[in-house]
Amino acid sequence: DTEVTQTPKHLVMGMTNKKSLKCEQHMGHRAMYWYKQKAKKPPELMFVYSYEKLSINESVPSRFSPECPNSSLLNLHLHALQPEDSALYLCASSYRGAWGDTQYFGPGTRLTVL
Amino acid sequence: DAKTTQPTSMDCAEGRAANLPCNHSTISGNEYVYWYRQIHSQGPQYIIHGLKNNETNEMASLIITEDRKSSTLILPHATLRDTAVYYCIVRVGPGGTSYGKLTFGQGTILTVHP
């Protein structure tokens, strides 16, 4: 099973709302990632968790708050977002095996900030 | 990680081979070539990766030149479902210090025609 699931598929929120995105994998992977993808642009890395610890934060604004409660679950908490934060948010996971850590992506959450 | 250059777009007839080139003239000795694709509104999908030998799997073949400065992804019998953005990514492989980071370029939009 090489599946990464993300919920919800679509999310519309106002600038004063608080919402969360959820990502789950059951492949035994120990690294999980959040990417942001604007329309017609490539994905850009936001955060990397390794063994449930935050290892990379690509200078993401604090209105995005990641959380990794366990090795299978990754959340992205959203608060006071701006309309320019509207994008596809992608989650990925990987297991650092002998042949390099292939990343497996979920289908993404399409976020619209009004 | 080394930078890559890909054509913006390519066309291919259904049933024919699709050959997608990638230039990575500044690739280092410990860097691998990875290919991902992203079908519209879905998450990126891993295709194949290699260091210096040619590689083949059930999806595609990867041909890397002897000097490793360029590579070609080959989809042997393209179908309409292969229409996607194809990303060539050069990154450190096993044992590297940049844990799991994928830096996507603009990619090549491959359109497969009936």
Side-chain angles (χ1 to χ4, degrees), chain B residues 35-80:
Chain B
W35 284 84
Y36 280 76
R37 74 179 182 184
Q38 187 172 22
I39 296 170
H40 182 61
S41 294
Q42 297 183 21
Q45 178 189 24
Y46 165 78
I47 301 173
I48 199 167
H49 75 279
L51 181 63
K52 54 185 177 181
N53 297 321
N54 298 337
E55 303 287 345
T56 296
N57 63 21
E58 64 279 4
M59 288 183 68
S61 295
L62 175 60
I63 308 298
I64 302 174
T65 58
E66 193 168 343
D67 63 8
R68 303 208 322 122
K69 293 184 177 181
S70 65
S71 60
T72 301
L73 178 75
I74 301 172
L75 307 178
H77 305 286
T79 70
L80 299 179

Side-chain angles (χ1 to χ4, degrees), chain A residues 31 33 35 37 40-43 45 48 50-51 56 58 88 90 94 96-103 105-107 110, chain B residues 32 34 36 38 40-46 49 87 91-107:
Chain A
Y33 313 75
Y35 287 81
Q37 186 173 25
K40 299 188 185 302
K41 298 290 187 182
L45 181 67
V48 180
S50 170
Y51 293 85
I56 294 177
E58 292 286 292
L88 180 67
L90 295 159
S94 71
R96 200 170 192 182
W99 303 108
D101 49 341
T102 298
Q103 293 186 21
F105 285 80
R110 178 79 57 188
Chain B
Y32 286 65
Y34 282 75
Y36 280 76
Q38 187 172 22
H40 182 61
S41 294
Q42 297 183 21
Q45 178 189 24
Y46 165 78
H49 75 279
Y87 295 102
R91 59 189 286 253
V92 177
T97 55
S98 57
Y99 191 99
K101 184 170 181 175
L102 283 178
T103 303
F104 290 84
Q106 295 302 312

Side-chain angles (χ1 to χ4, degrees), chain A residues 68-107:
Chain A
C68 190
N70 59 59
S71 60
S72 300
L73 191 56
L74 184 67
N75 298 319
L76 185 63
H77 303 297
L78 314 172
H79 172 56
L81 294 193
Q82 303 297 310
E84 58 265 29
D85 296 321
S86 297
L88 180 67
Y89 288 84
L90 295 159
C91 174
S93 70
S94 71
Y95 171 70
R96 200 170 192 182
W99 303 108
D101 49 341
T102 298
Q103 293 186 21
Y104 295 91
F105 285 80

Side-chain angles (χ1 to χ4, degrees), chain A:
Chain A
D1 182 12
T2 56
E3 188 179 26
V4 175
T5 59
Q6 290 188 243
T7 54
K9 290 191 188 318
H10 301 275
L11 179 63
V12 179
M13 60 185 291
M15 289 189 285
T16 58
N17 292 156
K18 286 186 180 180
K19 296 286 185 183
S20 297
L21 309 184
K22 179 180 172 181
C23 172
E24 202 161 2
Q25 57 87 14
H26 297 287
M27 295 179 278
H29 290 175
R30 302 311 299 271
M32 296 186 77
Y33 313 75
W34 281 115
Y35 287 81
K36 175 181 178 178
Q37 186 173 25
K38 301 280 284 183
K40 299 188 185 302
K41 298 290 187 182
E44 293 181 338
L45 181 67
M46 300 175 71
F47 303 104
V48 180
Y49 271 84
S50 170
Y51 293 85
E52 294 101 70
K53 287 185 169 35
L54 183 65
S55 61
I56 294 177
N57 176 342
E58 292 286 292
S59 302
V60 178
S62 60
R63 57 186 184 268
F64 295 91
S65 175
E67 179 196 21
C68 190
N70 59 59
S71 60
S72 300
L73 191 56
L74 184 67
N75 298 319
L76 185 63
H77 303 297
L78 314 172
H79 172 56
L81 294 193
Q82 303 297 310
E84 58 265 29
D85 296 321
S86 297
L88 180 67
Y89 288 84
L90 295 159
C91 174
S93 70
S94 71
Y95 171 70
R96 200 170 192 182
W99 303 108
D101 49 341
T102 298
Q103 293 186 21
Y104 295 91
F105 285 80
T109 293
R110 178 79 57 188
L111 174 68
T112 303
V113 182
L114 300 177

